[in-house]
Amino acid sequence: MSSFSLWAAAAVALTIGLVSTAYLWSYRRHRTEVDTGIAGLAKMRWREFARLIVESLRERGFEAESVEESLARGTQAELRLLRAGKPWLLSCKLGDADYRVSAATVAELADAVRFNGAAGGMMVTTGRFDSNSERVANGLDLYSGDTLWELVEPQLPASTRHEVIAAAQKRSIGTIVGAWIAAIVLGLIAGFVVPQFVSGEPDAPAPAQVTPVEATTPQEAPSDAATPAAASTSPAARPAATPAPTPAAAAPSVAQAAQTPPATASAATASARPASPPAAAHTGNPAAERGQVIRSISTLDGVERALWSTPSNLLIYRLTDAQQQDIDRICSILDAYPDLRSSRVQLQPPPGSKARVRFFQCRAY
């Protein structure tokens, strides 16, 4: 299994890149445009800024009662406007992006509106209102940020608007390029990490040559006590299973076993034990030994077929979910071959099973 997943890397990079691009271009670009435009307004002189606000409010039905007289009263004076014959007060506050209009300043304008009997009041700032300004506004119209830019943008010269839009687009494109670089880096990281979660363990070294060998599936599986040597014989040569002897018939066998010489008894015990392939099976020929292993494992209960997907990876297709005793039988076969006992074993669950693919090694290197 590869240690790097190109599909995972591409999926993560494209997802992050496209989502970032959509966010930065459709939403953040407008935010950048507003911030750039407000920053330009903050560089104006107070009289120029106040004239721009008054001209912008004309589109909303306001008329200056006497612009020159109002401006002559000072840079922080309230401007007097008329709307539908009723007086309104306008206060303009200039400052940079860090400038905050306090709630006390807003409350002063609200008091001035009540004291002069005005129908309402408006406060405009290139900075921001603090969190308590809305609470003390008492019906005042507060303009900053988006609302301020929406008010004054139609009154700006076309060349000024184009400069603001171009500057915002340039900043947005730079941010999008940075987002794609970050997306590619995260995609590369995901390409290396995802295969580790899928396989569950580090991958085996890549083989120099792949020579898969597949064994013929036997027609019937032997019992758990079958030895690899007996498993390699033809299924037709195996004797049919005989019923267990009755207690009466088994009694002579017990008596005969008691009279059996020790050497004979040891041999009989060894033949009845689910032994692994004899030591003579180690021939020094890796290809021949791999063929012996897959033939022996293919005869185990619950095994559909076995093959070497690589010289160091044994792939076993199961008919049933593997238990610990099944793993022990597989390891008992591999232990007879010193060159193969450290191979990685991959147990493929049967179709429809909810079990995951399992990897293990009988012996460490």
Side-chain angles (χ1 to χ4, degrees), residues 240-301:
T242 58
T246 60
S253 299
V254 174
Q256 292 176 2
Q259 298 176 359
T260 304
T264 306
S266 300
T269 304
S271 63
R273 189 181 304 137
S276 59
H282 176 52
T283 62
N285 185 345
E289 291 178 358
R290 291 189 184 94
Q292 294 174 7
V293 168
I294 61 175
R295 284 193 293 270
S296 299
I297 290 179
S298 295
T299 62
L300 296 178
D301 287 341

Tab-separated table of all heavy atoms in Angstrom, residues 240-301:
chain	number	residue	atom	x	y	z
A	240	ALA	N	-12.711	-40.275	3.719
A	240	ALA	CA	-13.956	-39.695	4.229
A	240	ALA	C	-13.961	-39.766	5.738
A	240	ALA	O	-13.403	-40.653	6.356
A	240	ALA	CB	-15.161	-40.457	3.659
A	241	ALA	N	-14.628	-38.753	6.343
A	241	ALA	CA	-14.694	-38.710	7.798
A	241	ALA	C	-15.508	-39.882	8.322
A	241	ALA	O	-16.560	-40.234	7.795
A	241	ALA	CB	-15.323	-37.398	8.241
A	242	THR	N	-14.993	-40.549	9.357
A	242	THR	CA	-15.661	-41.713	9.962
A	242	THR	C	-16.264	-41.299	11.269
A	242	THR	O	-15.739	-40.421	11.952
A	242	THR	CB	-14.647	-42.845	10.189
A	242	THR	OG1	-13.610	-42.352	11.029
A	242	THR	CG2	-14.044	-43.296	8.866
A	243	PRO	N	-17.367	-41.912	11.650
A	243	PRO	CA	-18.000	-41.547	12.923
A	243	PRO	C	-17.126	-41.932	14.103
A	243	PRO	O	-16.307	-42.843	14.024
A	243	PRO	CB	-19.328	-42.323	12.896
A	243	PRO	CG	-19.069	-43.445	11.949
A	243	PRO	CD	-18.130	-42.941	10.919
A	244	ALA	N	-17.297	-41.210	15.193
A	244	ALA	CA	-16.513	-41.486	16.397
A	244	ALA	C	-16.852	-42.867	16.935
A	244	ALA	O	-17.995	-43.307	16.909
A	244	ALA	CB	-16.808	-40.422	17.460
A	245	PRO	N	-15.837	-43.623	17.411
A	245	PRO	CA	-16.090	-44.981	17.933
A	245	PRO	C	-16.908	-44.927	19.202
A	245	PRO	O	-16.845	-43.980	19.970
A	245	PRO	CB	-14.689	-45.516	18.187
A	245	PRO	CG	-13.848	-44.306	18.395
A	245	PRO	CD	-14.412	-43.266	17.525
A	246	THR	N	-17.686	-45.961	19.383
A	246	THR	CA	-18.494	-46.084	20.607
A	246	THR	C	-17.583	-46.388	21.772
A	246	THR	O	-16.433	-46.813	21.605
A	246	THR	CB	-19.521	-47.223	20.450
A	246	THR	OG1	-18.804	-48.425	20.226
A	246	THR	CG2	-20.418	-46.966	19.238
A	247	PRO	N	-18.013	-46.138	23.015
A	247	PRO	CA	-17.168	-46.436	24.177
A	247	PRO	C	-16.696	-47.887	24.202
A	247	PRO	O	-15.569	-48.192	24.580
A	247	PRO	CB	-18.083	-46.114	25.352
A	247	PRO	CG	-19.024	-45.085	24.806
A	247	PRO	CD	-19.262	-45.471	23.387
A	248	ALA	N	-17.550	-48.804	23.778
A	248	ALA	CA	-17.138	-50.208	23.802
A	248	ALA	C	-16.031	-50.467	22.808
A	248	ALA	O	-15.099	-51.235	23.059
A	248	ALA	CB	-18.351	-51.108	23.511
A	249	ALA	N	-16.141	-49.831	21.625
A	249	ALA	CA	-15.115	-50.052	20.613
A	249	ALA	C	-13.840	-49.331	20.960
A	249	ALA	O	-12.760	-49.716	20.536
A	249	ALA	CB	-15.633	-49.599	19.259
A	250	ALA	N	-13.958	-48.243	21.721
A	250	ALA	CA	-12.766	-47.477	22.055
A	250	ALA	C	-11.962	-48.108	23.161
A	250	ALA	O	-10.779	-47.821	23.320
A	250	ALA	CB	-13.170	-46.067	22.481
A	251	ALA	N	-12.548	-48.995	23.930
A	251	ALA	CA	-11.822	-49.604	25.051
A	251	ALA	C	-10.605	-50.371	24.596
A	251	ALA	O	-9.524	-50.251	25.185
A	251	ALA	CB	-12.771	-50.496	25.852
A	252	PRO	N	-10.673	-51.263	23.543
A	252	PRO	CA	-9.451	-51.965	23.108
A	252	PRO	C	-8.378	-50.993	22.670
A	252	PRO	O	-7.193	-51.238	22.881
A	252	PRO	CB	-9.937	-52.837	21.951
A	252	PRO	CG	-11.396	-53.009	22.193
A	252	PRO	CD	-11.847	-51.745	22.816
A	253	SER	N	-8.793	-49.860	22.060
A	253	SER	CA	-7.780	-48.912	21.600
A	253	SER	C	-7.025	-48.332	22.769
A	253	SER	O	-5.820	-48.115	22.713
A	253	SER	CB	-8.445	-47.795	20.800
A	253	SER	OG	-9.091	-48.341	19.677
A	254	VAL	N	-7.743	-48.076	23.889
A	254	VAL	CA	-7.082	-47.540	25.076
A	254	VAL	C	-6.096	-48.540	25.631
A	254	VAL	O	-4.979	-48.216	26.038
A	254	VAL	CB	-8.125	-47.152	26.133
A	254	VAL	CG1	-7.459	-46.723	27.418
A	254	VAL	CG2	-9.021	-46.046	25.597
A	255	ALA	N	-6.514	-49.805	25.628
A	255	ALA	CA	-5.618	-50.851	26.141
A	255	ALA	C	-4.402	-51.002	25.260
A	255	ALA	O	-3.273	-51.183	25.736
A	255	ALA	CB	-6.380	-52.177	26.237
A	256	GLN	N	-4.592	-50.916	23.946
A	256	GLN	CA	-3.462	-51.028	23.032
A	256	GLN	C	-2.523	-49.855	23.207
A	256	GLN	O	-1.297	-50.012	23.152
A	256	GLN	CB	-3.967	-51.093	21.589
A	256	GLN	CG	-4.725	-52.390	21.280
A	256	GLN	CD	-5.301	-52.367	19.877
A	256	GLN	OE1	-5.089	-51.410	19.152
A	256	GLN	NE2	-6.016	-53.426	19.509
A	257	ALA	N	-3.121	-48.670	23.461
A	257	ALA	CA	-2.266	-47.505	23.640
A	257	ALA	C	-1.421	-47.624	24.881
A	257	ALA	O	-0.285	-47.151	24.939
A	257	ALA	CB	-3.119	-46.240	23.709
A	258	ALA	N	-1.973	-48.313	25.923
A	258	ALA	CA	-1.215	-48.478	27.149
A	258	ALA	C	-0.023	-49.388	26.951
A	258	ALA	O	0.978	-49.314	27.673
A	258	ALA	CB	-2.111	-49.031	28.261
A	259	GLN	N	-0.120	-50.354	25.968
A	259	GLN	CA	0.968	-51.290	25.725
A	259	GLN	C	1.927	-50.794	24.663
A	259	GLN	O	2.908	-51.458	24.350
A	259	GLN	CB	0.372	-52.634	25.291
A	259	GLN	CG	-0.525	-53.262	26.361
A	259	GLN	CD	-1.176	-54.547	25.868
A	259	GLN	OE1	-0.963	-54.931	24.730
A	259	GLN	NE2	-1.941	-55.203	26.735
A	260	THR	N	1.645	-49.621	24.096
A	260	THR	CA	2.507	-49.115	23.021
A	260	THR	C	3.833	-48.674	23.599
A	260	THR	O	3.871	-48.000	24.627
A	260	THR	CB	1.831	-47.935	22.324
A	260	THR	OG1	0.556	-48.363	21.870
A	260	THR	CG2	2.673	-47.435	21.148
A	261	PRO	N	4.964	-49.004	22.980
A	261	PRO	CA	6.276	-48.577	23.473
A	261	PRO	C	6.343	-47.054	23.494
A	261	PRO	O	5.648	-46.374	22.753
A	261	PRO	CB	7.255	-49.165	22.432
A	261	PRO	CG	6.510	-50.268	21.813
A	261	PRO	CD	5.080	-49.909	21.835
A	262	PRO	N	7.202	-46.489	24.373
A	262	PRO	CA	7.292	-45.021	24.496
A	262	PRO	C	7.600	-44.340	23.176
A	262	PRO	O	7.054	-43.303	22.876
A	262	PRO	CB	8.430	-44.828	25.503
A	262	PRO	CG	8.455	-46.095	26.296
A	262	PRO	CD	8.043	-47.191	25.351
A	263	ALA	N	8.496	-44.881	22.376
A	263	ALA	CA	8.845	-44.236	21.107
A	263	ALA	C	7.648	-44.162	20.192
A	263	ALA	O	7.390	-43.155	19.536
A	263	ALA	CB	10.002	-44.993	20.439
A	264	THR	N	6.886	-45.289	20.144
A	264	THR	CA	5.699	-45.318	19.291
A	264	THR	C	4.652	-44.340	19.794
A	264	THR	O	3.971	-43.667	19.023
A	264	THR	CB	5.121	-46.730	19.238
A	264	THR	OG1	6.156	-47.617	18.845
A	264	THR	CG2	3.947	-46.806	18.261
A	265	ALA	N	4.475	-44.266	21.128
A	265	ALA	CA	3.494	-43.335	21.701
A	265	ALA	C	3.855	-41.894	21.400
A	265	ALA	O	3.007	-41.067	21.113
A	265	ALA	CB	3.393	-43.556	23.222
A	266	SER	N	5.151	-41.595	21.449
A	266	SER	CA	5.570	-40.222	21.150
A	266	SER	C	5.275	-39.876	19.711
A	266	SER	O	4.830	-38.766	19.390
A	266	SER	CB	7.071	-40.063	21.430
A	266	SER	OG	7.343	-40.336	22.794
A	267	ALA	N	5.527	-40.832	18.822
A	267	ALA	CA	5.248	-40.565	17.404
A	267	ALA	C	3.760	-40.367	17.165
A	267	ALA	O	3.353	-39.530	16.375
A	267	ALA	CB	5.787	-41.726	16.555
A	268	ALA	N	2.937	-41.201	17.856
A	268	ALA	CA	1.494	-41.076	17.678
A	268	ALA	C	0.994	-39.730	18.200
A	268	ALA	O	0.144	-39.091	17.607
A	268	ALA	CB	0.768	-42.227	18.407
A	269	THR	N	1.558	-39.303	19.347
A	269	THR	CA	1.152	-38.009	19.903
A	269	THR	C	1.535	-36.870	18.985
A	269	THR	O	0.788	-35.926	18.762
A	269	THR	CB	1.796	-37.812	21.279
A	269	THR	OG1	1.437	-38.905	22.108
A	269	THR	CG2	1.338	-36.488	21.906
A	270	ALA	N	2.735	-36.959	18.412
A	270	ALA	CA	3.191	-35.907	17.506
A	270	ALA	C	2.350	-35.836	16.258
A	270	ALA	O	2.082	-34.765	15.732
A	270	ALA	CB	4.671	-36.128	17.141
A	271	SER	N	1.914	-37.019	15.744
A	271	SER	CA	1.098	-37.014	14.528
A	271	SER	C	-0.292	-36.464	14.796
A	271	SER	O	-0.927	-35.924	13.909
A	271	SER	CB	1.004	-38.447	13.960
A	271	SER	OG	0.352	-39.297	14.899
A	272	ALA	N	-0.801	-36.611	16.039
A	272	ALA	CA	-2.131	-36.107	16.359
A	272	ALA	C	-2.132	-34.615	16.663
A	272	ALA	O	-3.161	-33.988	16.702
A	272	ALA	CB	-2.709	-36.874	17.564
A	273	ARG	N	-0.968	-34.038	16.930
A	273	ARG	CA	-0.869	-32.626	17.265
A	273	ARG	C	-0.954	-31.789	15.995
A	273	ARG	O	-0.371	-32.139	14.989
A	273	ARG	CB	0.462	-32.393	17.980
A	273	ARG	CG	0.616	-31.009	18.586
A	273	ARG	CD	1.970	-30.862	19.246
A	273	ARG	NE	2.161	-31.906	20.253
A	273	ARG	CZ	3.285	-32.591	20.422
A	273	ARG	NH1	4.320	-32.363	19.640
A	273	ARG	NH2	3.383	-33.520	21.357
A	274	PRO	N	-1.639	-30.610	16.004
A	274	PRO	CA	-1.712	-29.752	14.808
A	274	PRO	C	-0.379	-29.086	14.558
A	274	PRO	O	-0.177	-27.913	14.832
A	274	PRO	CB	-2.787	-28.724	15.169
A	274	PRO	CG	-2.795	-28.674	16.652
A	274	PRO	CD	-2.426	-30.055	17.113
A	275	ALA	N	0.570	-29.886	14.070
A	275	ALA	CA	1.944	-29.411	13.930
A	275	ALA	C	2.084	-28.540	12.701
A	275	ALA	O	1.313	-28.586	11.771
A	275	ALA	CB	2.890	-30.606	13.832
A	276	SER	N	3.119	-27.713	12.708
A	276	SER	CA	3.454	-26.903	11.557
A	276	SER	C	4.260	-27.735	10.585
A	276	SER	O	4.688	-28.842	10.906
A	276	SER	CB	4.261	-25.688	12.030
A	276	SER	OG	5.423	-26.128	12.694
A	277	PRO	N	4.539	-27.236	9.369
A	277	PRO	CA	5.307	-28.006	8.399
A	277	PRO	C	6.656	-28.402	8.970
A	277	PRO	O	7.248	-27.677	9.766
A	277	PRO	CB	5.449	-27.020	7.223
A	277	PRO	CG	4.320	-26.095	7.372
A	277	PRO	CD	4.085	-25.983	8.837
A	278	PRO	N	7.173	-29.542	8.604
A	278	PRO	CA	8.451	-30.007	9.134
A	278	PRO	C	9.567	-29.066	8.747
A	278	PRO	O	9.473	-28.297	7.797
A	278	PRO	CB	8.625	-31.377	8.477
A	278	PRO	CG	7.769	-31.317	7.253
A	278	PRO	CD	6.615	-30.468	7.610
A	279	ALA	N	10.668	-29.143	9.527
A	279	ALA	CA	11.798	-28.270	9.266
A	279	ALA	C	12.372	-28.511	7.887
A	279	ALA	O	13.001	-27.633	7.312
A	279	ALA	CB	12.878	-28.486	10.334
A	280	ALA	N	12.175	-29.695	7.342
A	280	ALA	CA	12.707	-30.001	6.015
A	280	ALA	C	12.040	-29.159	4.937
A	280	ALA	O	12.504	-29.088	3.824
A	280	ALA	CB	12.518	-31.482	5.696
A	281	ALA	N	10.880	-28.502	5.298
A	281	ALA	CA	10.197	-27.681	4.301
A	281	ALA	C	11.027	-26.469	3.911
A	281	ALA	O	10.796	-25.853	2.890
A	281	ALA	CB	8.836	-27.236	4.840
A	282	HIS	N	11.999	-26.066	4.755
A	282	HIS	CA	12.857	-24.936	4.438
A	282	HIS	C	13.879	-25.371	3.403
A	282	HIS	O	14.863	-26.043	3.711
A	282	HIS	CB	13.549	-24.433	5.710
A	282	HIS	CG	14.527	-23.315	5.454
A	282	HIS	ND1	14.182	-22.187	4.756
A	282	HIS	CD2	15.824	-23.179	5.811
A	282	HIS	CE1	15.237	-21.396	4.681
A	282	HIS	NE2	16.249	-21.984	5.324
A	283	THR	N	13.639	-24.978	2.151
A	283	THR	CA	14.475	-25.448	1.046
A	283	THR	C	15.513	-24.419	0.629
A	283	THR	O	16.410	-24.743	-0.149
A	283	THR	CB	13.580	-25.759	-0.165
A	283	THR	OG1	12.929	-24.556	-0.572
A	283	THR	CG2	12.540	-26.812	0.180
A	284	GLY	N	15.389	-23.177	1.103
A	284	GLY	CA	16.306	-22.141	0.659
A	284	GLY	C	15.878	-21.497	-0.649
A	284	GLY	O	16.530	-20.573	-1.123
A	285	ASN	N	14.787	-21.986	-1.249
A	285	ASN	CA	14.256	-21.417	-2.480
A	285	ASN	C	13.020	-20.590	-2.119
A	285	ASN	O	11.949	-21.134	-1.843
A	285	ASN	CB	13.871	-22.533	-3.453
A	285	ASN	CG	13.425	-21.986	-4.802
A	285	ASN	OD1	13.132	-20.798	-4.950
A	285	ASN	ND2	13.367	-22.854	-5.801
A	286	PRO	N	13.113	-19.220	-2.098
A	286	PRO	CA	11.983	-18.400	-1.638
A	286	PRO	C	10.706	-18.627	-2.444
A	286	PRO	O	9.617	-18.688	-1.890
A	286	PRO	CB	12.497	-16.962	-1.789
A	286	PRO	CG	13.988	-17.095	-1.742
A	286	PRO	CD	14.304	-18.415	-2.388
A	287	ALA	N	10.847	-18.775	-3.778
A	287	ALA	CA	9.649	-18.944	-4.595
A	287	ALA	C	8.939	-20.256	-4.262
A	287	ALA	O	7.706	-20.307	-4.155
A	287	ALA	CB	10.026	-18.904	-6.077
A	288	ALA	N	9.722	-21.328	-4.085
A	288	ALA	CA	9.112	-22.617	-3.748
A	288	ALA	C	8.468	-22.576	-2.369
A	288	ALA	O	7.388	-23.129	-2.146
A	288	ALA	CB	10.171	-23.722	-3.817
A	289	GLU	N	9.132	-21.888	-1.418
A	289	GLU	CA	8.579	-21.815	-0.064
A	289	GLU	C	7.278	-21.002	-0.042
A	289	GLU	O	6.347	-21.355	0.691
A	289	GLU	CB	9.605	-21.186	0.872
A	289	GLU	CG	10.805	-22.090	1.122
A	289	GLU	CD	11.834	-21.434	2.017
A	289	GLU	OE1	11.629	-20.269	2.420
A	289	GLU	OE2	12.810	-22.084	2.333
A	290	ARG	N	7.211	-19.941	-0.841
A	290	ARG	CA	5.969	-19.174	-0.890
A	290	ARG	C	4.827	-20.022	-1.456
A	290	ARG	O	3.674	-19.928	-1.011
A	290	ARG	CB	6.156	-17.913	-1.743
A	290	ARG	CG	7.070	-16.882	-1.111
A	290	ARG	CD	7.044	-15.572	-1.899
A	290	ARG	NE	7.995	-14.606	-1.348
A	290	ARG	CZ	9.236	-14.439	-1.784
A	290	ARG	NH1	9.661	-15.178	-2.818
A	290	ARG	NH2	10.042	-13.567	-1.226
A	291	GLY	N	5.143	-20.862	-2.453
A	291	GLY	CA	4.121	-21.738	-2.987
A	291	GLY	C	3.635	-22.743	-1.959
A	291	GLY	O	2.437	-23.033	-1.856
A	292	GLN	N	4.569	-23.296	-1.149
A	292	GLN	CA	4.164	-24.227	-0.096
A	292	GLN	C	3.285	-23.546	0.948
A	292	GLN	O	2.310	-24.123	1.450
A	292	GLN	CB	5.418	-24.819	0.560
A	292	GLN	CG	6.250	-25.696	-0.374
A	292	GLN	CD	7.549	-26.142	0.272
A	292	GLN	OE1	7.760	-25.897	1.453
A	292	GLN	NE2	8.394	-26.783	-0.513
A	293	VAL	N	3.633	-22.271	1.277
A	293	VAL	CA	2.863	-21.558	2.300
A	293	VAL	C	1.435	-21.318	1.834
A	293	VAL	O	0.467	-21.566	2.577
A	293	VAL	CB	3.550	-20.218	2.643
A	293	VAL	CG1	2.626	-19.324	3.464
A	293	VAL	CG2	4.830	-20.474	3.412
A	294	ILE	N	1.246	-20.834	0.623
A	294	ILE	CA	-0.127	-20.527	0.190
A	294	ILE	C	-0.951	-21.804	0.003
A	294	ILE	O	-2.167	-21.796	0.219
A	294	ILE	CB	-0.119	-19.680	-1.092
A	294	ILE	CG1	0.552	-20.421	-2.249
A	294	ILE	CG2	0.555	-18.354	-0.864
A	294	ILE	CD1	0.477	-19.664	-3.561
A	295	ARG	N	-0.280	-22.910	-0.395
A	295	ARG	CA	-1.043	-24.168	-0.494
A	295	ARG	C	-1.487	-24.641	0.883
A	295	ARG	O	-2.595	-25.146	1.053
A	295	ARG	CB	-0.181	-25.232	-1.200
A	295	ARG	CG	-0.088	-25.044	-2.708
A	295	ARG	CD	0.492	-26.265	-3.383
A	295	ARG	NE	1.897	-26.453	-3.010
A	295	ARG	CZ	2.926	-25.934	-3.657
A	295	ARG	NH1	2.697	-25.141	-4.701
A	295	ARG	NH2	4.155	-26.151	-3.272
A	296	SER	N	-0.609	-24.490	1.869
A	296	SER	CA	-0.966	-24.924	3.225
A	296	SER	C	-2.048	-24.030	3.829
A	296	SER	O	-3.006	-24.521	4.435
A	296	SER	CB	0.283	-24.911	4.122
A	296	SER	OG	1.258	-25.791	3.619
A	297	ILE	N	-1.914	-22.734	3.646
A	297	ILE	CA	-2.893	-21.815	4.247
A	297	ILE	C	-4.245	-21.923	3.546
A	297	ILE	O	-5.301	-21.754	4.167
A	297	ILE	CB	-2.345	-20.377	4.190
A	297	ILE	CG1	-1.170	-20.243	5.154
A	297	ILE	CG2	-3.428	-19.349	4.533
A	297	ILE	CD1	-0.530	-18.879	5.177
A	298	SER	N	-4.256	-22.235	2.255
A	298	SER	CA	-5.521	-22.355	1.526
A	298	SER	C	-6.375	-23.502	2.038
A	298	SER	O	-7.575	-23.550	1.778
A	298	SER	CB	-5.246	-22.537	0.033
A	298	SER	OG	-4.624	-21.391	-0.505
A	299	THR	N	-5.757	-24.452	2.750
A	299	THR	CA	-6.519	-25.595	3.269
A	299	THR	C	-7.095	-25.345	4.654
A	299	THR	O	-7.814	-26.193	5.178
A	299	THR	CB	-5.606	-26.832	3.316
A	299	THR	OG1	-4.514	-26.584	4.210
A	299	THR	CG2	-5.068	-27.169	1.926
A	300	LEU	N	-6.768	-24.207	5.268
A	300	LEU	CA	-7.281	-23.935	6.613
A	300	LEU	C	-8.765	-23.596	6.561
A	300	LEU	O	-9.272	-23.088	5.567
A	300	LEU	CB	-6.507	-22.775	7.237
A	300	LEU	CG	-5.011	-22.999	7.495
A	300	LEU	CD1	-4.379	-21.739	8.080
A	300	LEU	CD2	-4.783	-24.192	8.407
A	301	ASP	N	-9.436	-23.852	7.658
A	301	ASP	CA	-10.864	-23.543	7.753
A	301	ASP	C	-11.089	-22.051	7.600
A	301	ASP	O	-10.373	-21.227	8.180
A	301	ASP	CB	-11.418	-24.003	9.114
A	301	ASP	CG	-11.553	-25.519	9.186
A	301	ASP	OD1	-11.574	-26.166	8.122
A	301	ASP	OD2	-11.621	-26.032	10.309
